[in-house]
Amino acid sequence: MAISTKFVLRKKQESAEDQFAIMLQIIIDRKNLLVSTRRYSGEKEWQPKSQSVSKIHPKHKEINLLLRTIESEVDFMIISFGKQGKRPSFEDVKALVKKLTGGQTEGEKKKLFVLFEEHIAKLRSLNRLGSAESYVSTLKSLKNFTNQKDPDILSIGLSFLNKYENWLIDRGCSIVTRSFYLRTFRTLWKAGIKEKYYPETHYPFKDFSFSKYNNPRTKKRAITRDQIELIASAVIDPENDSLINSRNYFLFSFYCRGLNFTDLAELKWTNIVDEELHYVRSKTKEEFRFRLHPAAIQILEYYRDLKGNSDAGYLFPILYKRHATIQSIRDRKKKILTRVNKQIKELGISLGILKPITTYVARHSYATALRRNGISKETIGRSLGHDSLKTTDIYLEDIGDPLLDELINSTI
């Protein structure tokens, strides 16, 4: 008829977790039940003999005080029941621990992958498909890191984040990609706190250093004005409609102030007024209005009466009437963008251009051309739709400063 309790660290075999649940083990007649204290410790921080955490644990005072309180209250319960000739049941002790900690049994804790999937479903229901894709790709990365094992949210600590970061580095992920995954992960964590899935105090990102990701440097992706002309003058088989379109989209972006592909795909003939382009940038909702470059006008003339052009009034043969939903429009743009980037890259290689060319290179090349000709950062920023000079500075850091390069090289 014996009853005893002790605190143990619940370790799982082959676990990627670095923090483990501190459990109260209740033993009655050789049968036992584990009840969570809702506190966690690493294996090196746990002291099994004293059933406490060591001073190296950042919350050792709080946790040890709670464990001693639970121990004292359970002993008092056993004594009180004993005076009445009774003994507490599993449920009695469990209820007491839950009252003191809000704890619950091991199998009921929130899982990381579940939290991701719920958030993705919510974003999709709001038609925030781009954001949803960000979480989908981050979730896929985390699943690969943990070998598909879904960790408990509260078992994740700073060590988990550091190991994940190192894993990304070992896989050759660029600093921009690592920043994307880690920031998406952090945003999800904050959303979970807001939904009260776990306490605000459990925030492993607090001690994780993001300083190296504040202004991640990317490879310079601009090409020269001469290389732009080389692409424009390249001879393409008139029957190769697909490649002709890819080149036109790239050049139209360059001649229209670095217009991004998402906005380019959604331009309609109604956006052209007296040889001016009027549109609202989808990313910032900022309105743009400017006179078209003669080369851009020439590209439009190619499509004005083109057989097979869009039946929905779009400038280019990308979106049609059949693309009637947000998802179908997104899927179509993604498909065409992939093809454009592949073809324009191959065209560049065939012309002897070593830098990999994508639609985004057009935007970088536009900014570089302006800077090389002495245009101020403020003007470049306004034309690109940047909301602050700081953003423009970061952008120009990515492409370099050709004006400064030429000044220095001509001086030394």
mmCIF file of all heavy atoms in Angstrom, residues 7 22 41 45-54 60 63-64 67-68:
data_model
loop_
_atom_site.group_PDB
_atom_site.id
_atom_site.type_symbol
_atom_site.label_atom_id
_atom_site.label_comp_id
_atom_site.label_asym_id
_atom_site.label_seq_id
_atom_site.Cartn_x
_atom_site.Cartn_y
_atom_site.Cartn_z
ATOM 1 N N PHE A 7 10.999 13.458 -8.492
ATOM 2 C CA PHE A 7 11.093 14.211 -9.745
ATOM 3 C C PHE A 7 12.127 13.545 -10.653
ATOM 4 O O PHE A 7 13.219 13.169 -10.215
ATOM 5 C CB PHE A 7 11.491 15.664 -9.477
ATOM 6 C CG PHE A 7 10.459 16.437 -8.717
ATOM 7 C CD1 PHE A 7 10.642 16.726 -7.369
ATOM 8 C CD2 PHE A 7 9.289 16.848 -9.345
ATOM 9 C CE1 PHE A 7 9.687 17.430 -6.655
ATOM 10 C CE2 PHE A 7 8.328 17.556 -8.634
ATOM 11 C CZ PHE A 7 8.523 17.833 -7.292
ATOM 12 N N ILE A 22 10.512 18.109 -16.854
ATOM 13 C CA ILE A 22 10.698 17.659 -15.472
ATOM 14 C C ILE A 22 9.351 17.111 -15.017
ATOM 15 O O ILE A 22 8.346 17.844 -14.988
ATOM 16 C CB ILE A 22 11.145 18.813 -14.558
ATOM 17 C CG1 ILE A 22 12.461 19.417 -15.057
ATOM 18 C CG2 ILE A 22 11.281 18.327 -13.113
ATOM 19 C CD1 ILE A 22 12.895 20.661 -14.313
ATOM 20 N N SER A 41 14.432 21.186 -18.432
ATOM 21 C CA SER A 41 15.850 21.277 -18.109
ATOM 22 C C SER A 41 16.649 20.462 -19.112
ATOM 23 O O SER A 41 16.180 19.433 -19.617
ATOM 24 C CB SER A 41 16.111 20.751 -16.695
ATOM 25 O OG SER A 41 17.504 20.673 -16.432
ATOM 26 N N GLU A 45 22.029 20.091 -16.907
ATOM 27 C CA GLU A 45 21.588 20.989 -15.839
ATOM 28 C C GLU A 45 20.822 20.249 -14.746
ATOM 29 O O GLU A 45 20.595 20.789 -13.663
ATOM 30 C CB GLU A 45 20.692 22.092 -16.427
ATOM 31 C CG GLU A 45 21.394 22.939 -17.488
ATOM 32 C CD GLU A 45 20.414 23.697 -18.352
ATOM 33 O OE1 GLU A 45 19.270 23.212 -18.481
ATOM 34 O OE2 GLU A 45 20.778 24.733 -18.926
ATOM 35 N N TRP A 46 20.389 19.026 -15.044
ATOM 36 C CA TRP A 46 19.555 18.273 -14.097
ATOM 37 C C TRP A 46 20.423 17.490 -13.112
ATOM 38 O O TRP A 46 21.390 16.831 -13.494
ATOM 39 C CB TRP A 46 18.635 17.323 -14.852
ATOM 40 C CG TRP A 46 17.762 16.492 -13.952
ATOM 41 C CD1 TRP A 46 17.813 15.144 -13.755
ATOM 42 C CD2 TRP A 46 16.716 16.963 -13.107
ATOM 43 N NE1 TRP A 46 16.866 14.737 -12.859
ATOM 44 C CE2 TRP A 46 16.174 15.846 -12.430
ATOM 45 C CE3 TRP A 46 16.186 18.225 -12.841
ATOM 46 C CZ2 TRP A 46 15.121 15.953 -11.523
ATOM 47 C CZ3 TRP A 46 15.143 18.336 -11.949
ATOM 48 C CH2 TRP A 46 14.622 17.206 -11.293
ATOM 49 N N GLN A 47 20.070 17.578 -11.820
ATOM 50 C CA GLN A 47 20.782 16.872 -10.747
ATOM 51 C C GLN A 47 19.850 15.809 -10.157
ATOM 52 O O GLN A 47 19.016 16.123 -9.303
ATOM 53 C CB GLN A 47 21.229 17.853 -9.663
ATOM 54 C CG GLN A 47 22.127 18.961 -10.212
ATOM 55 C CD GLN A 47 22.517 19.982 -9.170
ATOM 56 O OE1 GLN A 47 23.691 20.238 -8.923
ATOM 57 N NE2 GLN A 47 21.528 20.584 -8.525
ATOM 58 N N PRO A 48 19.962 14.559 -10.631
ATOM 59 C CA PRO A 48 19.015 13.519 -10.218
ATOM 60 C C PRO A 48 19.052 13.195 -8.725
ATOM 61 O O PRO A 48 18.020 12.868 -8.131
ATOM 62 C CB PRO A 48 19.443 12.304 -11.060
ATOM 63 C CG PRO A 48 20.828 12.593 -11.519
ATOM 64 C CD PRO A 48 20.927 14.063 -11.636
ATOM 65 N N LYS A 49 20.235 13.293 -8.121
ATOM 66 C CA LYS A 49 20.313 12.946 -6.689
ATOM 67 C C LYS A 49 19.511 13.913 -5.831
ATOM 68 O O LYS A 49 18.785 13.511 -4.917
ATOM 69 C CB LYS A 49 21.770 12.915 -6.236
ATOM 70 C CG LYS A 49 22.551 11.727 -6.784
ATOM 71 C CD LYS A 49 23.952 11.671 -6.177
ATOM 72 C CE LYS A 49 24.712 10.455 -6.695
ATOM 73 N NZ LYS A 49 26.092 10.369 -6.120
ATOM 74 N N SER A 50 19.653 15.200 -6.114
ATOM 75 C CA SER A 50 18.916 16.204 -5.328
ATOM 76 C C SER A 50 17.561 16.535 -5.944
ATOM 77 O O SER A 50 16.792 17.308 -5.382
ATOM 78 C CB SER A 50 19.751 17.480 -5.205
ATOM 79 O OG SER A 50 19.985 18.040 -6.497
ATOM 80 N N GLN A 51 17.276 15.943 -7.122
ATOM 81 C CA GLN A 51 16.021 16.201 -7.837
ATOM 82 C C GLN A 51 15.801 17.710 -8.001
ATOM 83 O O GLN A 51 14.755 18.258 -7.662
ATOM 84 C CB GLN A 51 14.838 15.564 -7.107
ATOM 85 C CG GLN A 51 14.941 14.046 -6.974
ATOM 86 C CD GLN A 51 13.810 13.450 -6.167
ATOM 87 O OE1 GLN A 51 12.658 13.855 -6.325
ATOM 88 N NE2 GLN A 51 14.123 12.488 -5.305
ATOM 89 N N SER A 52 16.807 18.348 -8.582
ATOM 90 C CA SER A 52 16.756 19.796 -8.776
ATOM 91 C C SER A 52 17.613 20.159 -9.990
ATOM 92 O O SER A 52 18.330 19.320 -10.524
ATOM 93 C CB SER A 52 17.278 20.525 -7.537
ATOM 94 O OG SER A 52 18.644 20.190 -7.316
ATOM 95 N N VAL A 53 17.517 21.432 -10.398
ATOM 96 C CA VAL A 53 18.360 21.897 -11.483
ATOM 97 C C VAL A 53 19.537 22.672 -10.899
ATOM 98 O O VAL A 53 19.415 23.301 -9.843
ATOM 99 C CB VAL A 53 17.578 22.781 -12.480
ATOM 100 C CG1 VAL A 53 16.516 21.966 -13.197
ATOM 101 C CG2 VAL A 53 16.954 23.983 -11.786
ATOM 102 N N SER A 54 20.660 22.617 -11.581
ATOM 103 C CA SER A 54 21.857 23.284 -11.092
ATOM 104 C C SER A 54 21.796 24.783 -11.353
ATOM 105 O O SER A 54 20.908 25.282 -12.062
ATOM 106 C CB SER A 54 23.095 22.697 -11.773
ATOM 107 O OG SER A 54 23.092 23.019 -13.154
ATOM 108 N N HIS A 60 16.986 28.492 -12.461
ATOM 109 C CA HIS A 60 17.147 27.489 -11.406
ATOM 110 C C HIS A 60 16.407 27.857 -10.111
ATOM 111 O O HIS A 60 15.829 26.994 -9.459
ATOM 112 C CB HIS A 60 18.631 27.254 -11.122
ATOM 113 C CG HIS A 60 19.335 28.409 -10.482
ATOM 114 N ND1 HIS A 60 19.825 29.483 -11.188
ATOM 115 C CD2 HIS A 60 19.626 28.663 -9.171
ATOM 116 C CE1 HIS A 60 20.407 30.334 -10.371
ATOM 117 N NE2 HIS A 60 20.291 29.882 -9.144
ATOM 118 N N ILE A 63 12.547 27.295 -10.718
ATOM 119 C CA ILE A 63 12.195 25.875 -10.866
ATOM 120 C C ILE A 63 12.367 25.123 -9.551
ATOM 121 O O ILE A 63 11.490 24.358 -9.129
ATOM 122 C CB ILE A 63 13.039 25.230 -11.984
ATOM 123 C CG1 ILE A 63 12.647 25.811 -13.337
ATOM 124 C CG2 ILE A 63 12.870 23.711 -11.981
ATOM 125 C CD1 ILE A 63 13.493 25.324 -14.499
ATOM 126 N N ASN A 64 13.494 25.318 -8.889
ATOM 127 C CA ASN A 64 13.740 24.594 -7.633
ATOM 128 C C ASN A 64 12.727 24.960 -6.554
ATOM 129 O O ASN A 64 12.304 24.110 -5.770
ATOM 130 C CB ASN A 64 15.169 24.856 -7.156
ATOM 131 C CG ASN A 64 16.200 24.163 -8.021
ATOM 132 O OD1 ASN A 64 15.898 23.154 -8.660
ATOM 133 N ND2 ASN A 64 17.417 24.687 -8.056
ATOM 134 N N LEU A 67 9.595 23.012 -7.388
ATOM 135 C CA LEU A 67 9.729 21.582 -7.088
ATOM 136 C C LEU A 67 9.631 21.324 -5.590
ATOM 137 O O LEU A 67 8.985 20.355 -5.162
ATOM 138 C CB LEU A 67 11.063 21.057 -7.632
ATOM 139 C CG LEU A 67 11.281 21.147 -9.154
ATOM 140 C CD1 LEU A 67 12.594 20.474 -9.546
ATOM 141 C CD2 LEU A 67 10.119 20.521 -9.917
ATOM 142 N N ARG A 68 10.254 22.178 -4.784
ATOM 143 C CA ARG A 68 10.187 21.994 -3.331
ATOM 144 C C ARG A 68 8.759 22.242 -2.814
ATOM 145 O O ARG A 68 8.303 21.595 -1.872
ATOM 146 C CB ARG A 68 11.169 22.939 -2.637
ATOM 147 C CG ARG A 68 12.629 22.748 -3.013
ATOM 148 C CD ARG A 68 13.242 21.431 -2.502
ATOM 149 N NE ARG A 68 12.839 20.253 -3.217
ATOM 150 C CZ ARG A 68 13.404 19.828 -4.350
ATOM 151 N NH1 ARG A 68 14.362 20.535 -4.922
ATOM 152 N NH2 ARG A 68 13.004 18.697 -4.918
#
